[in-house]
Amino acid sequence: MLPASRARGRLVRAAVMIALPLATAASIIAARPPAKLLDNGLARTPPMGWNSWNHFACNVSDSLIRQTADAMVSSGMRDAGYKYVVIDDCWQVARSADGTIQADPQRFPHGIKPLADYVHSRGLKFGIYTDAGTKTCQGRPGTYGHELQDAKTYASWGVDYVKEDWCNARGLDAPTQYAKFRDALARSGRPIVFSICEWGYNEPWEWAPSVGNLWRTTEDIEDTWPSMLSNLDISAQHATVAGPGHWNDPDMLEVGNGGMTDDEYRAHFSMWALLAAPLIAGNDLRTMSAATKTILTNPEVIAVDQDSLGAEGIMVWDTPPELQVWSRRLHDGSAAVVLLNRSTAPAKITASFRRAGLHVDSATVRDLWKHTDRGTFAREFSDTVPAHGAVMLKISPLHR
Ligand code: GLA
C-alpha cells in the first residue's frame, strides 16, 4: 500500500510534467555551487547486484537469500559484474531492550551475520534496507534516533550496502537525516555503499551527491512499459550530476518479472545502461529463463553501464513523442547510442554522428545486442527498431 504522501505524489506527477520546462529553467538559473562530493571510495561505477523487493516484496528469508547468492554464481551473473545481494524491507521486526535492531527470528533463524558470511563466501557482497523515519514502508522499525547504533550493528554483521527509505518521516528534513546516516556509516568502521531512497521528493540531485553513492530520482518502478519509460524520462532530467561515486537511480530492474516482452526488457536494460544507472536485478534468479539471463548478462551493454568515464547519457534527437536517439560519451572517445522506439509499430530511426556528440564524418558501428560489427558509415546510421524496442550501438570515430 502506498503511504499517503506517496499517493499524493502520484497525483501531482502529471502537473509536474507539464510545468517541467519552466522548472528546469528555474533550477538552472538558481543552481548553487556544488557541495563537496561524497568520497567514501565506493561505487566508482554504478553498483550492480540484486534486491528482493521487486519480485518478493515482504516474502524474504534466509533460504531465499542463500539460494539467490548461489544462483548469482551459477547463472554467471556474478562473473558478469553483479556483486551486491540486498535484502529489502521486512527482514526486521523489533528492537531489543538496548535498542539493537532484531531480524525476524522465523524468517532469519540464524540472524543476519551468518547470512552475510555465506554471501561473502560466494564471492559476493551483502546489503540491507532501513528507513530514515520511525518505521519502514512496511511498518518495521526505522532508523530514526538509532542512526549510529544501526550503522555499527550493520558493520558488525558485515553489511556492505545500505538502502535507506523515506516512509514515516513526516516533518523531518531529508538532507539532514540522510547526512546523519552518511556520518554514522562513516563512523561504523566498514566501507558501506549508501543508497538514498526518497523517490526524488526533496530534489536529491541538489544535495545527495555529497551524501550518498546513489539516490532514487523517481517513485517505485512497476513491471510495465509506461512505468519504465516514466522513470527513464524523470531520471534523465538530472544527467549532469551523475559521475563516479554518485549516481541517479531510476529504480531497480524489472527484467524477467513477466510484465514486459523481451524486446521491452532489452530496451529497459539498454536505457538503464545509457543512463549510467545502478543495475540491480529484481527478478527470481533461481528460475529465470535463458532469455532473461542473456539480457541481464550482456557483456557489451554492461560495459557501457560500467564505463569508467561515468558520464550519464542524454536524449539527442526525437520525433516527439515516440522515436528517439540517446547518446552517452565513453572513455575511449566513442559513444554508446540507443535508438529507442516507444511506438507500437516497427520504425526506422536514424542517428546522426554529430547529434550523438561525435564530431567526425566517418565511424564504425557495432550492434551491442547482435554482437556484430555493422561496418563503417558516413555521417549517420539507420536501423529498423522493433515496436517498444531498442537497438543499442557503439559508434567509434574513424580519425583521419
Ligand atoms: C518503498 C521503496 C521500495 C521498497 C519499498 C519497501 O516503496 O521505494 O523500493 O524499498 O518501500 O517497503
Side-chain angles (χ1 to χ4, degrees):
M1 205 181 67
L2 279 176
S5 59
R6 301 197 44 223
R8 265 200 313 280
R10 279 179 197 276
L11 291 177
V12 298
R13 186 196 286 170
V16 170
M17 294 299 285
I18 291 161
L20 189 70
L22 280 178
T24 307
S27 63
I28 290 168
I29 292 162
R32 276 174 276 157
K36 193 174 166 303
L37 297 171
L38 173 69
D39 186 14
N40 60 7
L42 302 171
R44 303 306 298 169
T45 60
M48 293 177 64
W50 173 90
N51 174 297
S52 52
W53 184 255
N54 282 357
H55 192 87
F56 296 95
C58 269
N59 198 14
V60 289
S61 65
D62 181 277
S63 56
L64 170 70
I65 301 304
R66 284 174 197 253
Q67 289 166 12
T68 297
D70 292 347
M72 196 96 125
V73 178
S74 61
S75 65
M77 295 263 298
R78 179 190 64 185
D79 293 344
Y82 294 84
K83 200 155 68 170
Y84 296 96
V85 176
V86 183
I87 317 179
D88 207 279
D89 209 345
C90 302
W91 64 267
Q92 65 283 70
V93 280
R95 290 190 181 276
S96 64
D98 72 357
T100 307
I101 190 79
Q102 304 292 304
D104 182 332
Q106 256 84 52
R107 292 179 170 275
F108 297 93
H110 318 293
I112 300 296
K113 176 143 185 13
L115 185 54
D117 290 346
Y118 184 79
V119 170
H120 290 148
S121 77
R122 308 307 324 260
L124 296 162
K125 292 192 178 284
F126 179 72
I128 216 161
Y129 161 101
T130 187
D131 187 288
T134 51
K135 287 190 173 134
T136 72
C137 295
Q138 303 305 316
R140 311 306 174 93
T143 280
Y144 183 70
H146 294 272
E147 288 82 5
L148 188 56
Q149 185 176 27
D150 283 355
K152 286 186 169 164
T153 303
Y154 297 158
S156 76
W157 290 344
V159 167
D160 306 295
Y161 180 114
V162 177
K163 168 178 169 182
E164 193 179 46
D165 217 334
W166 189 239
C167 279
N168 303 297
R170 196 177 295 262
L172 298 177
D173 175 59
T176 305
Q177 294 309 315
Y178 283 104
K180 209 180 275 178
F181 203 59
R182 168 200 63 195
D183 296 343
L185 290 175
R187 289 173 62 193
S188 73
R190 192 174 168 88
I192 298 179
V193 171
F194 186 21
S195 161
I196 293 172
C197 178
E198 55 71 83
W199 323 302
Y201 280 14
N202 303 273
E203 293 77 40
W205 36 89
E206 291 187 356
W207 49 268
S210 63
V211 179
N213 295 110
L214 57 155
W215 53 90
R216 283 274 296 278
T217 45
T218 69
E219 296 185 355
D220 290 6
I221 194 168
E222 288 158 21
D223 188 13
T224 66
W225 177 250
S227 167
M228 185 278 286
L229 291 180
S230 164
N231 280 20
L232 162 69
D233 291 340
I234 293 169
S235 208
Q237 293 162 18
H238 312 292
T240 54
V241 290
H246 46 280
W247 308 100
N248 288 306
D249 176 8
D251 205 0
M252 303 172 290
L253 297 164
E254 292 284 10
V255 177
N257 276 335
M260 291 188 246
T261 66
D262 286 337
D263 273 339
E264 291 173 334
Y265 283 139
R266 267 188 288 276
H268 174 20
F269 199 67
S270 302
M271 291 314 304
W272 263 231
L274 200 286
L275 290 192
L279 297 180
I280 308 291
N283 58 319
D284 188 345
L285 301 188
R286 303 166 306 175
T287 57
M288 67 182 155
S289 68
T292 296
K293 188 162 67 175
T294 303
I295 295 171
L296 287 172
T297 58
N298 182 328
E300 298 194 69
V301 176
I302 290 173
V304 170
D305 183 75
Q306 297 290 299
D307 184 74
S308 59
L309 187 62
E312 181 172 330
I314 55 169
M315 190 176 68
V316 294
W317 180 89
D318 73 339
T319 303
E322 302 204 300
L323 307 181
Q324 301 180 333
V325 179
W326 294 70
S327 178
R328 173 175 176 186
R329 285 186 304 129
L330 302 177
H331 78 280
D332 62 0
S334 64
V337 169
V338 177
L339 314 179
L340 179 64
N341 180 359
R342 303 163 70 129
S343 80
T344 51
K348 183 179 160 192
I349 301 180
T350 300
S352 139
F353 298 161
R354 286 179 186 265
R355 282 285 184 101
L358 296 167
H359 298 286
V360 291
D361 289 326
S362 315
T364 59
V365 175
R366 181 167 174 81
D367 186 318
L368 304 188
W369 285 109
K370 293 197 172 125
H371 306 299
T372 51
D373 291 325
R374 303 290 295 269
T376 301
F377 294 83
R379 288 178 297 285
E380 62 185 35
F381 176 81
S382 303
D383 208 353
T384 301
V385 186
H388 284 196
V391 166
M392 188 162 191
L393 308 163
K394 180 168 175 174
I395 304 186
S396 306
L398 275 183
H399 294 290
R400 272 178 251 148

